[in-house]
Amino acid sequence: MKYILFILLFILSVSLYSDNKVEFRASTSHTSVGIGERFRVTFEINTTPTSFDAPDFEGFRVLSGPMQSSSTSIQIINGEQTRIQTYSYSYFLEPLEEGSFEIKPAKALVDGEYYNTNKVPIQVVESDEPSPATVDTTDPYDIKTEDLDDLFIRAYASKNNPYQGEEVIITYKIYTRIPVTRYSMDRLPSFQGFWSETLTDYDEPMEPTTKNIDGQRYKVAEIIRVAVFAQKSGNLIIEPLQVECLVRRTETRRRESLFEDFFSSPFDRSRTVRETIKSNPIELDVKPLPVKNQPSTFTGLVGEFQLSASLDRDNIQTNDAVNLNIKISGNGNLRMAEFPSVDFPLNLDSYYPRISDNIRTSSSGVSGSRTFKYLLIPRTEGNFEIPPLKFSYFDPKNEEYKTLLSEKFVLTAEGKPLSTASEGRINRENARYIDEDIRHIYMHEINLQPLGNMFFRSFLFYALFTLPIAIFAVFMVLYQNKVKNKSNSAIMRTKRANRVAKKRMKKAGKLLKQNKENKFYDEIFKTLWGYVSDKMNIPISELNKDNVKEKLNMKSVPVDITDELINTLAHCEYARFAPGDKEKNMDEVYFMTHDTIVKTEKWLSKNNKNNRTKK
Amino acid sequence: MFKQQFFYIQVVALLLFVIIRCDAKSSHEIIEKANQAYMQSEYAYAVELYEQVIENGEEAAKLYYNLGNAYFKSDNIAKAILNYERAKQLKPNDDNILHNLQIARSRIVDRIEPVPRLFYERWWQSLITKQSEKGWAITSIISITVLLVAFTLFLFSSRKGLKKSFFIISVFFLILTSFSLVFTKKQYNQLVNQDKAIVFAPRLTAKSAPGSASTSLFVIHRGTKVEIIQKVGYWYEIRLPNGNVGWVKEDDVKII
């Protein structure tokens, strides 16, 4: 049975067949320990105890504890729901002396009844086992050189020259030619500079295979598989993995002791020995991601991904909520995925997305999906266009950046906001001022003008300014004249009167010479009446011999002139029919008329002058 | 013979027309190009193109405004302020110009509290700057036209009420005409005898007398607007809005 590997794994089994039965059991992490080596004792109860009494750990020193923890699980069997609450109390102990010991039962009070745990036997073996730090220097067993061939761990990296953020699978394999009863990994390497994810379960036993190395048959088993993602570029070293094994060795001890020799029978020559073995360190040369063509939406995802987005509904009521699900799935450092920034339209409220992961680890790496759930609430009615979502990652296989685009969504909200209508208050928001900047340039055609061009004092200004004045002046002058002519049409007539009188007098003069008596007197009458009518501005129809004095008085014509005028008229009438020298009479009348007109004219001109000075 | 002459005249006229058109078009084309450069964030190129148009001897409030924007975007605040101020002189009431000028001013170092002036002085000043020189000149022309029309109507209306209202209108427009003429003159003087300047030196120490050896009085920084009182040699006597007076070198400021 020498080269057969035994891997004993301690699996805690909690029987769950009956829900009412109180299970209270004790377990230890080791069944046999060396002196000075610490181990753990756990008491588990499948219900909530009212009190718990730990046993006294005789022969052991309590290093720490009790550490309490509880877990709840819900199980449905045949439609029956069972809620199981498990409480556990853990202690770390250290054996004080060699021999067979047992962990005494612990007591717990549940529903007024006391329950005891089972006793757990534990074997304490003699051990000069030094602390792990001094393993290399003070190892009492001579297993160094030749025995390394018996038992060693190899670490393999799936890739030695990855990109930053690219997945590298590190596989640790144990090679052995001697039986290993148990091994435990004290701790995983710290993976400094990496983000790591354990791919295999500790509890799952690995089927060993056989391999021939240099003619020697080795049992090979994979211990653990870890996916690591470099967080930075450069030369990174993964520390060795340290594994503690319990192996059975048949070698004789170098340190001869009579006492021990005496007791160790040939059958006892094979002993269980604790050994610490280390794997080889791994050196990775991590390449930085190319800067060229790096999209702005790139957040550090390296691998192979798909993007899918969906909207719960695309037709909802205003103020109702709708979910926008964005799912990024694929292989790679999914946990690095940040939510894609989405430019949601105004009045479409969005909340910080809920992130849910469905990340599986399998022996081939990390895969799965990460979902971002955006809660959207349209605050007004109408169509809201959600632009296509952008998401970028680096594809290390093709060594290029890839950008995925989702489809464009249109969300239609209908109806007036309900809450605001019913509550009678309106949710109004002030405009948000984010930053200030200058306003944009003027983009239309600009009316250019010569530099320093000034309107004031230019010819155009003077022209435009004086134009209304000129028009006004001309207008006023023209108007004044018209007013004069119109309002003093009498003046016109008086002016004409003189002319007419002169014409008529000329005619009369001619008639006088021709000695045409009747016509002469007619003309004289016409001259006089016409003259008076024109000059005094009295229509001829209103004038006759009877009222002429009255009318002229009204026009404030002096009496002497009126008298002379009437005299002349009378004389004319008289002379026409008077006997005697007709020629002489006509002469007299002609001169009398002339004198009268001249006199009147004189008075009028004097009168006008007086009037003007008065004004 | 006559026909041929006429033909030549026509050709020359056409050529002149084309040349003038070409000239006008090229300026507009440059502006168009500059606007595009601005849009593509090539501000330095936009500045160059706008300046080229001004070098050609043409100006407009909006051109200065665009140039100011381009300078602002290329972080040359002093030049941006200078151009905004120039734009403001041509168009004192443009909202965009005032807004950008205010933002540009908020980026400069100096915060100078202006000397508080009496309310009527402020009113007077704000009245003057309500319109540009051109605006006031046009106002005066319109106002005198209305005045004369109203006065004519006053003269010829026979009804008492109408006569009275036309008289009042005439008096009002008489006052408006005289004021707008005064304002036009003021704005004209402002443009002709430029007495405002922008500090271009990053740090400028004003002296008590023209000469580097004289006592330093105060320090002002790039972008501040000052008033120029007089010029002696290569030195300007300047006054700050808060009333401080000092002498600075001609090269350190630029007249608006």
Side-chain angles (χ1 to χ4, degrees):
Chain A
M1 297 296 282
K2 213 176 177 182
Y3 296 114
I4 295 170
L5 174 77
F6 290 101
I7 298 170
L8 291 173
L9 288 162
F10 207 96
I11 299 165
L12 291 172
S13 63
V14 180
S15 77
L16 300 164
Y17 294 114
S18 58
D19 46 356
N20 289 328
K21 202 179 159 196
V22 175
E23 290 252 357
F24 191 26
R25 50 185 21 260
S27 58
T28 53
S29 59
H30 297 65
T31 48
S32 86
V33 290
I35 289 172
E37 195 190 348
R38 51 189 221 153
F39 68 102
R40 192 176 63 191
V41 180
T42 308
F43 302 96
E44 270 185 312
I45 187 161
N46 63 346
T47 179
T48 318
T50 347
S51 72
F52 171 77
D53 287 325
D56 59 357
F57 300 104
E58 214 183 315
F60 298 94
R61 193 166 67 199
V62 178
L63 293 171
S64 64
M67 282 162 290
Q68 247 186 72
S69 68
S70 69
S71 67
T72 310
S73 65
I74 292 167
Q75 210 173 41
I76 302 168
I77 299 165
N78 297 332
E80 223 181 302
Q81 187 178 317
T82 321
R83 190 162 168 276
I84 296 159
Q85 185 133 37
T86 315
Y87 273 83
S88 64
Y89 302 85
S90 307
Y91 292 83
F92 277 100
L93 304 178
E94 191 186 337
L96 296 172
E97 47 189 293
E98 208 180 328
S100 283
F101 292 91
E102 62 180 20
I103 305 290
K104 286 175 184 155
K107 259 197 250 176
L109 184 67
V110 178
D111 295 329
E113 256 185 275
Y114 279 102
Y115 292 89
N116 290 330
T117 53
N118 51 318
K119 289 177 186 174
V120 182
I122 192 151
Q123 197 78 32
V124 180
V125 294
E126 190 253 3
S127 165
D128 312 37
E129 176 79 20
S131 61
T134 53
V135 127
D136 293 334
T137 49
T138 59
D139 195 343
Y141 303 102
D142 188 19
I143 54 170
K144 265 197 169 160
T145 44
E146 66 262 41
D147 292 347
L148 261 178
D149 296 340
D150 293 348
L151 179 64
F152 57 90
I153 295 175
R154 276 279 145 82
Y156 300 96
S158 65
K159 218 170 271 179
N160 284 319
N161 196 15
Y163 274 104
Q164 182 183 335
E166 193 183 348
E167 183 185 64
V168 178
I169 295 169
I170 312 280
T171 315
Y172 292 99
K173 283 181 178 171
I174 189 162
Y175 290 78
T176 182
R177 285 191 296 163
I178 52 173
V180 175
T181 50
R182 225 178 55 78
Y183 68 83
S184 70
M185 272 168 286
D186 287 359
R187 57 193 166 89
L188 279 173
S190 63
F191 296 118
Q192 211 162 9
F194 293 92
W195 171 69
S196 65
E197 187 104 11
T198 309
L199 297 178
T200 42
D201 204 355
Y202 292 89
D203 299 342
E204 214 174 289
M206 283 290 144
E207 281 302 312
T209 53
T210 314
K211 202 173 182 186
N212 260 327
I213 298 172
D214 296 332
Q216 302 271 29
R217 266 164 57 102
Y218 280 88
K219 287 277 174 193
V220 182
E222 191 181 308
I223 319 172
I224 191 166
R225 214 178 249 233
V226 181
V228 295
F229 304 89
Q231 305 280 59
K232 55 186 181 186
S233 58
N235 212 336
L236 298 178
I237 292 167
I238 295 173
E239 292 167 31
L241 174 77
Q242 200 171 301
V243 174
E244 208 166 73
C245 299
L246 285 177
V247 294
R248 291 188 76 81
R249 288 206 178 271
T250 49
E251 274 87 2
T252 51
R253 301 183 66 172
R254 195 178 56 177
R255 190 173 59 185
E256 297 287 333
S257 154
L258 188 76
F259 180 75
E260 273 183 40
D261 242 16
F262 181 77
F263 280 101
S264 55
S265 65
F267 302 103
D268 271 335
R269 279 177 76 93
S270 122
R271 302 180 55 104
T272 304
V273 178
R274 174 172 306 273
E275 281 177 12
T276 305
I277 50 172
K278 274 182 170 181
S279 75
N280 55 314
I282 291 178
E283 199 180 315
L284 291 181
D285 188 19
V286 181
K287 289 185 279 189
L289 291 169
V291 187
K292 211 182 139 198
N293 298 330
Q294 184 168 320
S296 57
T297 45
F298 180 70
T299 57
L301 278 183
V302 180
E304 233 186 296
F305 299 96
Q306 287 87 41
L307 173 73
S308 69
S310 66
L311 204 58
D312 279 0
R313 292 169 288 167
D314 50 15
N315 199 332
I316 62 163
Q317 289 286 314
T318 306
N319 278 341
D320 258 5
V322 68
N323 277 321
L324 175 68
N325 297 314
I326 300 160
K327 190 174 172 187
I328 295 168
S329 52
N331 304 319
N333 48 353
L334 257 176
R335 288 193 208 272
M336 298 276 289
E338 283 171 32
F339 52 95
S341 67
V342 186
D343 289 328
F344 290 112
L346 217 68
N347 283 333
L348 182 64
D349 284 4
S350 64
Y351 295 88
Y352 197 79
R354 264 191 300 158
I355 299 169
S356 55
D357 282 345
N358 177 21
I359 294 173
R360 293 180 305 275
T361 51
S362 69
S363 54
S364 60
V366 180
S367 65
S369 66
R370 173 166 271 201
T371 309
F372 303 93
K373 204 172 231 182
Y374 281 95
L375 187 71
L376 306 178
I377 300 178
R379 293 300 185 195
T380 58
E381 55 193 318
N383 285 346
F384 296 91
E385 198 170 281
I386 300 164
L389 310 167
K390 257 189 194 171
F391 155 77
S392 307
Y393 67 94
F394 182 73
D395 183 359
K397 268 183 206 151
N398 299 320
E399 304 195 327
E400 63 184 9
Y401 288 103
K402 282 185 177 164
T403 298
L404 301 174
L405 268 179
S406 79
E407 55 188 305
K408 190 174 80 181
F409 296 107
V410 176
L411 176 66
T412 308
E414 278 171 358
K416 286 258 150 50
L418 276 174
S419 61
T420 56
S422 59
E423 287 167 31
R425 66 190 161 85
I426 300 159
N427 272 335
R428 276 204 289 199
E429 253 183 285
N430 285 326
R432 278 178 220 159
Y433 300 101
I434 297 154
D435 201 359
E436 56 170 23
D437 195 7
I438 54 166
R439 296 199 184 145
H440 198 62
I441 52 166
Y442 183 81
M443 297 291 287
H444 303 286
E445 194 160 298
I446 294 169
N447 272 332
L448 293 168
Q449 52 187 8
L451 214 59
N453 174 32
M454 233 100 48
F455 186 50
F456 184 63
R457 295 205 170 162
S458 68
F459 173 73
L460 189 67
F461 173 76
Y462 284 128
L464 285 174
F465 196 81
T466 46
L467 187 68
I469 302 174
I471 291 171
F472 180 74
V474 168
F475 178 74
M476 284 316 283
V477 167
L478 287 177
Y479 183 77
Q480 278 296 335
N481 276 343
K482 210 181 174 190
V483 161
K484 226 187 235 165
N485 295 346
K486 217 179 196 177
S487 66
N488 295 358
S489 66
I491 295 167
M492 292 287 283
R493 268 172 83 185
T494 40
K495 276 182 186 165
R496 225 171 54 213
N498 239 349
R499 261 201 332 264
V500 171
K502 268 181 189 164
K503 256 188 193 167
R504 284 188 172 145
M505 285 303 285
K506 246 184 201 170
K507 209 179 175 184
K510 263 185 195 168
L511 291 168
L512 180 71
K513 273 174 196 165
Q514 285 164 8
N515 224 353
K516 285 179 180 168
E517 206 182 346
N518 279 341
K519 277 187 183 170
F520 168 76
Y521 282 113
D522 276 354
E523 204 59 43
I524 287 290
F525 269 105
K526 266 188 200 163
T527 313
L528 271 174
W529 284 125
Y531 181 74
V532 169
S533 155
D534 283 353
K535 270 297 183 204
M536 300 304 151
N537 210 11
I538 304 165
I540 284 182
S541 54
E542 282 176 22
L543 277 177
N544 56 44
K545 267 176 272 175
D546 304 324
N547 68 354
V548 70
K549 200 170 183 175
E550 206 181 314
K551 289 265 176 194
L552 289 181
N553 262 340
M554 269 167 66
K555 288 272 172 186
S556 67
V557 178
V559 185
D560 54 329
I561 291 175
T562 318
D563 282 352
E564 199 174 339
L565 194 81
I566 289 167
N567 269 348
T568 312
L569 283 170
H571 189 78
C572 278
E573 240 160 61
Y574 170 77
R576 198 171 181 179
F577 307 106
D581 194 353
K582 278 183 181 171
E583 270 187 42
K584 201 190 163 191
N585 280 347
M586 277 158 67
D587 268 353
E588 212 173 319
V589 168
Y590 182 81
F591 284 111
M592 258 180 92
T593 310
H594 193 261
D595 279 355
T596 308
I597 287 170
V598 168
K599 259 189 189 161
T600 315
E601 198 70 4
K602 259 185 189 166
W603 171 79
L604 276 172
S605 64
K606 208 192 260 172
N607 207 27
N608 272 359
K609 261 178 201 168
N610 283 352
N611 279 357
R612 266 176 215 160
T613 48
K614 262 181 207 167
K615 271 179 187 172
Chain B
M1 180 67 184
F2 178 75
K3 252 189 174 173
Q4 210 171 4
Q5 255 183 356
F6 185 70
F7 176 75
Y8 283 133
I9 288 166
Q10 261 190 331
V11 166
V12 168
L14 194 75
L15 271 175
L16 266 172
F17 182 73
V18 166
I19 288 163
I20 289 163
R21 285 295 307 182
C22 272
D23 190 40
K25 212 179 170 189
S26 71
S27 272
H28 282 134
E29 267 171 10
I30 294 168
I31 290 174
E32 185 71 25
K33 232 161 123 187
N35 288 351
Q36 255 157 32
Y38 183 93
M39 294 283 281
Q40 284 152 12
S41 305
E42 292 163 8
Y43 301 118
Y45 186 50
V47 161
E48 197 182 299
L49 289 170
Y50 287 132
E51 289 280 20
Q52 198 180 320
V53 175
I54 293 166
E55 251 171 59
N56 286 352
E58 283 174 303
E59 66 174 1
K62 280 159 183 165
L63 178 64
Y64 285 128
Y65 168 76
N66 284 5
L67 178 59
N69 273 6
Y71 272 126
F72 183 92
K73 288 287 184 188
S74 38
D75 283 334
N76 197 334
I77 302 296
K79 278 193 170 172
I81 288 178
L82 178 78
N83 282 289
Y84 288 143
E85 290 279 2
R86 281 178 175 167
K88 193 183 150 196
Q89 276 188 342
L90 295 177
K91 239 182 163 193
N93 259 352
D94 190 276
D95 183 41
N96 289 338
I97 294 170
L98 294 178
H99 176 262
N100 287 8
L101 178 58
Q102 188 214 324
I103 285 186
R105 275 186 188 154
S106 70
R107 305 273 167 100
I108 63 171
V109 179
D110 294 325
R111 294 272 178 281
I112 300 170
E113 282 295 315
V115 181
R117 284 189 295 182
L118 286 172
F119 66 96
Y120 64 84
E121 279 181 318
R122 269 183 282 131
W123 288 355
W124 183 251
Q125 197 55 42
S126 67
L127 257 178
I128 292 172
T129 51
K130 262 276 170 299
Q131 290 196 62
S132 67
E133 169 257 349
K134 265 190 201 68
W136 279 122
I138 289 165
T139 309
S140 68
I141 289 169
I142 293 168
S143 151
I144 196 165
T145 311
V146 176
L147 161 70
L148 293 175
V149 168
F151 189 66
T152 312
L153 288 170
F154 157 71
L155 282 180
F156 294 111
S157 60
S158 47
R159 275 175 54 196
K160 252 194 170 167
L162 270 177
K163 219 174 172 73
K164 206 173 169 185
S165 41
F166 279 128
F167 182 72
I168 291 166
I169 293 169
S170 306
V171 170
F172 173 77
F173 276 97
L174 181 67
I175 294 168
L176 181 64
T177 309
S178 17
F179 270 84
S180 56
L181 273 178
V182 171
F183 293 159
T184 312
K185 182 72 173 50
K186 287 255 175 197
Q187 290 283 58
Y188 176 81
N189 285 351
Q190 176 80 43
L191 285 173
V192 172
N193 334 305
Q194 279 297 355
D195 63 343
K196 298 284 194 310
I198 301 292
V199 175
F200 263 58
R203 234 177 85 92
L204 180 52
T205 310
K207 301 280 180 182
S208 63
S212 312
S214 53
T215 316
S216 299
L217 293 179
F218 52 86
V219 176
I220 48 177
H221 298 90
R222 187 181 279 162
T224 303
K225 189 180 173 185
V226 296
E227 188 187 330
I228 290 169
I229 305 167
Q230 57 167 321
K231 187 185 178 187
V232 172
Y234 297 114
W235 290 79
Y236 281 133
E237 188 179 18
I238 58 151
R239 182 188 286 131
L240 299 185
N242 62 10
N244 282 329
V245 172
W247 291 85
V248 298
K249 264 199 198 133
E250 186 185 38
D251 300 339
D252 292 335
V253 298
K254 185 139 189 178
I255 288 178
I256 291 169

